[in-house]
Amino acid sequence: MPMKAAVLPVTPFQQNCTIFWNDETMRGGVSDPGGDIERILEVVGREGITLEKILLTHGHLDHASAAGDLAKQLGIPIEGPHEDDLFLIETLPEQSAKYGFPPVGAFVPDRWLVDGDRVEVAGLTFDVRHCPGHTPGHVVFFNDEARLAIVGDVLFQGSIGRTDLPRGNYQQLIDSITNRLWPLGDDVTFVPGHGPVSTFGQERATNPFVADENFA
Ligand SMILES: [Zn+2]
Ligand SMILES: [Zn+2]
């Protein structure tokens, strides 16, 4: 079941929205539609994809704010993040106004996720890893077949997510990365919430925050 993916930076925060689809059926989903719905739908239309689900890694503005409106427009469900991010999702409309984002509709995800859950989109399966630290309810989506992980603001090429925002926790974030992401394999390619893609192996070798040598 071949998966294809396209990464589209959205919002003034250049957040990596990922559109992924099953190459055989041209059905798929979108993770972290933080804004710019028209641009997301333009890519979807150009590729000829039918979206059937929205996935959220966490409740921050630039990742989640357009999810409710997109879900309503397309009549599709939202899955994720973990319920511990409810406090962020509840305040998205006021956060959007505060940061000058276009007005967004309030929503509650159709399904909260916990570690070990599986999410199914268009015949593609994602394993869910709960990775708190950047936010308490942050989750990561892993497609074993494509060896691809969508990690939001947990890990970046050469860096890690901020932990100075409400309910962030530095040690928890380090533990999430080393205990819940590294076991997936060095060969795994990950799409971070911002910036270029990388692999877990490259970060274990070179990332100043989480390289193996830090823990030797
Ligand atoms: Zn974030
Ligand atoms: Zn972000």
Side-chain angles (χ1 to χ4, degrees):
M1 204 85 65
M3 179 171 85
K4 285 201 162 184
V7 178
L8 175 69
V10 296
T11 83
F13 293 53
Q14 292 290 291
Q15 192 280 122
N16 287 330
C17 169
T18 304
I19 299 159
F20 54 89
W21 65 96
N22 181 329
D23 203 17
E24 288 167 0
T25 62
M26 295 310 287
R27 299 180 68 82
V30 57
S31 72
D32 289 0
D36 300 329
I37 286 180
E38 329 68 48
R39 292 185 44 229
I40 294 170
L41 293 179
E42 194 183 298
V43 174
V44 166
R46 193 196 319 137
E47 299 288 345
I49 305 159
T50 303
L51 291 179
E52 56 180 51
K53 203 171 272 186
I54 295 169
L55 305 182
L56 294 181
T57 62
H58 65 299
H60 278 157
L61 183 67
D62 51 326
H63 294 255
S65 64
D69 293 330
L70 187 60
K72 204 170 167 188
Q73 194 173 327
L74 300 179
I76 60 176
I78 302 170
E79 298 195 4
H82 184 284
E83 195 167 8
D84 285 352
D85 269 13
L86 175 61
F87 77 106
L88 293 167
I89 288 172
E90 279 175 339
T91 58
L92 283 173
E94 64 191 69
Q95 292 286 320
S96 293
K98 186 173 156 192
Y99 286 94
F101 279 46
V104 300
F107 70 93
V108 176
D110 297 274
R111 180 188 176 196
W112 296 111
L113 299 172
V114 298
D115 192 63
D117 271 350
R118 291 191 138 189
V119 168
E120 195 82 24
V121 189
L124 305 166
T125 302
F126 293 87
D127 294 311
V128 174
R129 292 285 174 275
H130 183 203
C131 292
H134 173 69
T135 66
H138 202 304
V139 297
V140 161
F141 299 100
F142 172 59
N143 181 262
D144 193 9
E145 203 167 19
R147 306 296 292 159
L148 183 85
I150 297 169
V151 307
D153 289 348
V154 170
L155 178 68
F156 304 114
Q157 185 197 74
S159 188
I160 59 173
R162 290 174 60 173
T163 54
D164 59 326
L165 299 165
R167 302 195 203 173
N169 183 307
Y170 182 83
Q171 191 54 50
Q172 207 176 31
L173 181 60
I174 299 294
D175 291 345
S176 288
I177 295 167
T178 57
N179 298 333
R180 292 199 168 147
L181 296 187
W182 289 173
L184 298 176
D186 286 356
D187 63 313
V188 172
T189 296
F190 67 93
V191 181
H194 308 265
V197 302
S198 179
T199 64
F200 290 159
Q202 175 169 340
E203 299 313 303
R204 290 185 73 158
T206 63
N207 189 311
F209 297 91
V210 286
D212 288 353
E213 63 177 20
N214 295 14
F215 311 105

